Amino acid sequence: MNIYADYAATTPMHPVAIQAMSEALSKVYGNPSSLHSLGQEAKQALDQARETFAKGLNCDPREIYFTSGGSEADTQALTSGAAMGARKNKRHIISTTIEHHAILHTLDHLESQGYAITRLAPDQYGMVTPERVEAAIREDTCLVTIMTANNEIGTINPIAEIGAVCKGRGVLFHTDGVQAVGHVAVDVQAMGVDMLSLAAHKFGGPKGVGVLYARKGMLLKPLIYGGAQERSRRSGTENLPAIISAAVAFRVALEEMEQATAHLIPMRDRLIEGLLTIPHSVLNGHATKRLPGNVHVCFEAVEGESLLLLLDAKGIQASSGSACTSGDLDPSHVLLGIGRPHEVAHGSLRLTMGHTVTQEEVDYMVQATSDVVALLRSMSPVWTDLNKGVTPHVI
Ligand SMILES: *Cc1c(COP(=O)(O)O)cnc(C)c1O
């Protein structure tokens, strides 16, 4: 059996998105900036893709900017919000300790440029309440950035409530919606966000294309200078085949969302229940306010990397957390951020599924994980000490 269970890192492309991309590659090769008919045809396809995103997110097409992905959209959102603040002499930004690195590293950069950053610690489930955000807002706060859903533990934040707080206090609000878009309902008006980032490859679209939604009135600061593409906010000839394909993937994800969610939630909960029968294991993230396809657990006295390799040998492609930190020996900042001790955070497993997952596959993942954990523990001196009572169990 082969089970791809790393959807949070990237998803396989939806067949209709592949078809749309391949057709665009051969047929819509004009430059949307060209005035001849082929160029105008490309421009029309670009406009249509923009409208698809605007309709799905509930905004105006002029508020959609195509980027090279989630990281670029995040970087541009934060540097733009910060620049808008600096014009009013406001240089304080609020975020959380468990954001994606595209956010965290942009904040580090802004800090080096003289901005003050408050990084809120989430609760034990990885959630940030509107009250916490409100309490952190100062006279000089210009921007709040809090992710819609976490890429490691899948926890969904109360974004609409946080948006209302920001609006009430006249502070710009950005959300990294990369994990949420295409998986849970996202409406930029209802959420009260000024800016939102998304990436197509997290919902069945191609890699290397994303969107930054920026409300009218936002002064986007370009990261790339050149021609007048994307109303001069993002220069460079548009990656049209990827943009067309991303729009198709987005439309299909929205059409299939209700059915996918209804299928995924029972699968997710069956997988969680099965994995938690393994002794000394714990669920990370919220039990219900979590992404439909996300399962994230820690096992005591198990080394996450070994667990992954052995699961891979059994045909299961999983992750220990975020793809961006693999290869890095420190435990995940998200797990430390929700209060897991180092030794527990090291034994993490993230299984993220698409809506094609079957009950048989879920049961296979439970059995395989259970067998691998038992094998690793049988060879672990840490486990021996725990069982002899030399060291106390943490979970
Ligand atoms: C994947 C991801 C990103 C980065 O998106 P890229 O398209 O890979 O640049 C940003 N934020 C979150 C929450 C993500 O899951």
Side-chain angles (χ1 to χ4, degrees), residues 225-241:
Y225 300 96
Q229 294 90 352
E230 301 302 289
R231 307 161 87 224
S232 300
R233 299 330 189 273
R234 208 289 184 175
S235 293
T237 303
E238 300 86 349
N239 184 1
L240 196 56

Side-chain angles (χ1 to χ4, degrees), residues 349-362:
L349 175 67
R350 180 184 72 183
L351 295 163
T352 45
M353 304 167 284
H355 71 286
T356 52
V357 72
T358 64
Q359 187 165 309
E360 194 190 2
E361 288 173 332
V362 166

Side-chain angles (χ1 to χ4, degrees), residues 1-2 309-316 364 367-369 371-372:
M1 201 177 289
N2 189 74
L309 292 177
L310 292 171
L311 284 177
D312 198 13
K314 287 180 180 282
I316 301 168
Y364 179 76
Q367 191 56 52
T369 307
D371 292 348
V372 170

Side-chain angles (χ1 to χ4, degrees), residues 272 275-276 278-285 296-300 335 338 340-341 344-345 347-349 377 394-395:
I272 291 174
L275 293 176
L276 292 183
I278 298 171
H280 302 285
S281 58
V282 66
L283 176 70
N284 298 306
H296 198 301
V297 286
C298 279
F299 303 103
E300 200 175 20
L335 296 179
I338 60 167
R340 297 278 177 245
V344 173
S348 64
L349 175 67
R377 281 176 173 169
V394 187
I395 55 176

Side-chain angles (χ1 to χ4, degrees), residues 79-150:
T79 52
S80 300
M84 282 176 75
R87 280 193 201 96
K88 297 184 190 160
N89 222 9
K90 292 183 173 190
R91 290 187 174 81
H92 175 237
I93 301 170
I94 298 168
S95 187
T96 79
T97 55
I98 65 167
E99 299 293 310
H100 188 273
H101 283 121
I103 297 290
L104 292 178
H105 291 163
T106 306
L107 291 174
D108 291 345
H109 167 73
L110 289 169
E111 196 166 39
S112 77
Q113 302 294 301
Y115 288 85
I117 316 290
T118 297
R119 297 169 181 86
L120 296 172
D123 68 13
Q124 59 179 317
Y125 302 111
M127 209 176 292
V128 180
T129 63
E131 293 77 20
R132 291 286 314 287
V133 176
E134 176 125 55
I137 294 178
R138 317 192 309 209
E139 279 298 304
D140 63 341
T141 305
C142 57
L143 174 68
V144 171
T145 176
I146 292 176
M147 67 206 318
T148 314
N150 186 272

Side-chain angles (χ1 to χ4, degrees), residues 37-196:
S37 52
L38 212 58
Q40 288 314 295
E41 209 180 294
K43 167 91 170 53
Q44 246 175 23
L46 178 64
D47 289 344
Q48 205 184 328
R50 199 183 305 283
E51 263 166 45
T52 301
F53 277 104
K55 190 157 171 268
L57 296 173
N58 191 20
C59 67
D60 190 281
R62 284 168 299 183
E63 297 173 314
I64 297 291
Y65 297 89
F66 290 110
T67 69
S68 68
S71 301
E72 183 186 335
D74 280 344
T75 304
Q76 190 169 17
L78 301 197
T79 52
S80 300
M84 282 176 75
R87 280 193 201 96
K88 297 184 190 160
N89 222 9
K90 292 183 173 190
R91 290 187 174 81
H92 175 237
I93 301 170
I94 298 168
S95 187
T96 79
T97 55
I98 65 167
E99 299 293 310
H100 188 273
H101 283 121
I103 297 290
L104 292 178
H105 291 163
T106 306
L107 291 174
D108 291 345
H109 167 73
L110 289 169
E111 196 166 39
S112 77
Q113 302 294 301
Y115 288 85
I117 316 290
T118 297
R119 297 169 181 86
L120 296 172
D123 68 13
Q124 59 179 317
Y125 302 111
M127 209 176 292
V128 180
T129 63
E131 293 77 20
R132 291 286 314 287
V133 176
E134 176 125 55
I137 294 178
R138 317 192 309 209
E139 279 298 304
D140 63 341
T141 305
C142 57
L143 174 68
V144 171
T145 176
I146 292 176
M147 67 206 318
T148 314
N150 186 272
N151 48 302
E152 294 190 31
I153 59 176
T155 299
I156 301 170
N157 273 311
I159 294 300
E161 288 80 357
I162 297 171
V165 165
C166 294
K167 198 167 197 178
R169 299 289 295 270
V171 174
L172 292 174
F173 181 36
H174 166 258
T175 190
D176 176 342
V178 177
Q179 286 291 326
V181 171
H183 301 279
V184 294
V186 168
D187 174 328
V188 294
Q189 308 304 333
M191 290 158 87
V193 295
D194 298 295
M195 294 182 282
L196 174 140

